[in-house]
Amino acid sequence: YPLHSDINITSHGADWYWAVTAVMAVSTFVFIGLSYRAHRSRRIFHYITASITLVATCAYFTMASNLGYTPIAVEFARSDPKVAGIYREIFYVRYIDWAITTPLLLLDLLLTCGLPWPTILYTILLDEVMIVTGLVGALVASSYKWGYFVIAMIALFGIFFNVAVVGRNYANVINRTVGRTFLLCGAWTMGLWFIYPIAWGLCEGGNVISADSEAVFYGVLDILAKPVFGGLLLFGHRNIDPATLGL
Ligand code: RET
C-alpha cells in the first residue's frame, strides 16, 4: 500500500501552517492571561476558550511538520478504473482537532444562552456525527464520500436550528446583554461553519484546489472560528455574571 502521496503541501504551505500554529499558541496565552482578571469561580469561559486554541496549536504543529496525514486516491488510472492513480495528502489530524474543539465551541455558545443541559448534549452529539462522517468521507476514495457529506450537512442543519432558533430565544429571555452577545457570537459561528463544507468540497471532496490553498482556506477559517470567536465571546462576557446563566 503506497504511503506516498502525489499532491502535498510545499514549504510555503508548511510556513503558513507554522504561522497559524503561532497564532493559536499566542491566543492560548492571552486567554489564560485574561482569566486572571476574573475570580476563579467565574473563569469557565476563559478555560473553555483557551482549551480550544491549545488543541488547535497541537493540530497545526502537526500539519506544519507535515505529519498527521494519509494519502487518499483522488484520481484513478485510465486503463483500469479500479486501480488508483493519484494520491492526495489528507490531514486526518484536522478531524481529531475538530472532534475536540467544535463541542467546546458549542459549549461556549450554548452555556452563554442558558440552554438546558439535555439540549446542549444532543447538539454536541449532532456535532460529533458531523465531524466523524466528514472524516470517513474524507478517507473514502470512491464517490460514496458524498453520501457521508450529505449526512454531515444534515447534522449541521440540526446544530444550526438549535443555535439560531432555540438558543436565540433562550438568550433573549435572560437579558439584553446576554441576547446581544449571543446574537453576535452565534451569527459569527454559524456563518463560518457553513463555509467549512465548501472548503471540504474543494479539498478532500473534489480535489479541486492544491494542498497549499487548502492550508490557507482552512487556516483562515480556523483563525476566525477559534481565536477571533473566543475574543468576541470573552469580550461579551466582561459584563455578564455567570450566575445569571445558572453557572
Ligand atoms: C465537514 C465535511 C462534511 C460536511 C460538513 C463539514 C463541517 C465541518 C465544520 C467544521 C467546523 C470546524 C471548526 C473548527 C474550529 O475552529 C466535516 C467539513 C458540514 C462545520 C469550527
Side-chain angles (χ1 to χ4, degrees):
Y1 186 77
L3 257 175
H4 161 83
S5 81
D6 310 284
I7 301 171
N8 301 296
I9 54 167
T10 67
S11 63
H12 298 289
D15 286 346
W16 166 249
Y17 277 134
W18 283 118
V20 181
T21 308
V23 169
M24 296 296 181
V26 168
S27 311
T28 306
F29 285 113
V30 169
F31 295 143
I32 291 291
L34 288 173
S35 81
Y36 293 112
R37 298 161 69 103
H39 184 267
R40 196 174 294 280
S41 66
R42 296 179 53 171
R43 293 180 186 167
I44 179 165
F45 292 101
H46 296 87
Y47 291 157
I48 297 174
T49 307
S51 308
I52 293 166
T53 49
L54 177 64
V55 170
T57 307
C58 302
Y60 274 93
F61 173 84
T62 305
M63 294 188 283
S65 311
N66 207 27
L67 298 168
Y69 75 90
T70 189
I72 298 294
V74 286
E75 274 170 44
F76 297 85
R78 280 262 169 75
S79 52
D80 182 353
K82 287 200 282 298
V83 177
I86 298 180
Y87 287 78
R88 180 186 175 104
E89 173 174 46
I90 299 292
F91 286 102
Y92 61 78
V93 72
R94 264 188 224 300
Y95 300 84
I96 301 179
D97 168 338
W98 296 345
I100 299 168
T101 58
T102 54
L104 293 173
L105 288 164
L106 287 172
L107 209 51
D108 253 349
L109 204 53
L110 300 181
L111 287 177
T112 296
C113 63
L115 268 195
W117 273 108
T119 312
I120 296 183
L121 287 179
Y122 107 79
T123 309
I124 288 177
L125 182 95
L126 285 172
D127 180 78
E128 295 295 358
V129 168
M130 175 182 81
I131 299 301
V132 173
T133 53
L135 170 63
V136 175
L139 298 179
V140 164
S142 72
S143 49
Y144 268 88
K145 60 166 66 247
W146 295 103
Y148 289 95
F149 178 83
V150 170
I151 299 171
M153 283 304 294
I154 293 170
L156 178 56
F157 276 103
I159 297 167
F160 177 81
F161 180 81
N162 283 354
V163 171
V165 180
V166 188
R168 194 152 54 94
N169 287 337
Y170 271 77
N172 287 332
V173 167
I174 298 173
N175 63 43
R176 244 174 70 86
T177 316
V178 170
R180 286 174 51 147
T181 301
F182 184 80
L183 182 64
L184 177 66
C185 297
W188 180 261
T189 294
M190 286 295 102
L192 285 168
W193 284 33
F194 275 91
I195 307 177
Y196 281 85
I198 299 174
W200 190 95
L202 296 175
C203 304
E204 290 98 325
N207 185 39
V208 177
I209 64 177
S210 73
D212 278 355
S213 306
E214 169 186 337
V216 173
F217 201 156
Y218 278 129
V220 169
L221 281 176
D222 281 355
I223 288 173
L224 296 176
K226 288 181 169 115
V228 177
F229 165 84
L232 290 175
L233 185 98
L234 292 180
F235 184 71
H237 272 284
R238 80 199 181 285
N239 292 326
I240 299 173
D241 181 350
T244 57
L245 307 171
L247 296 170

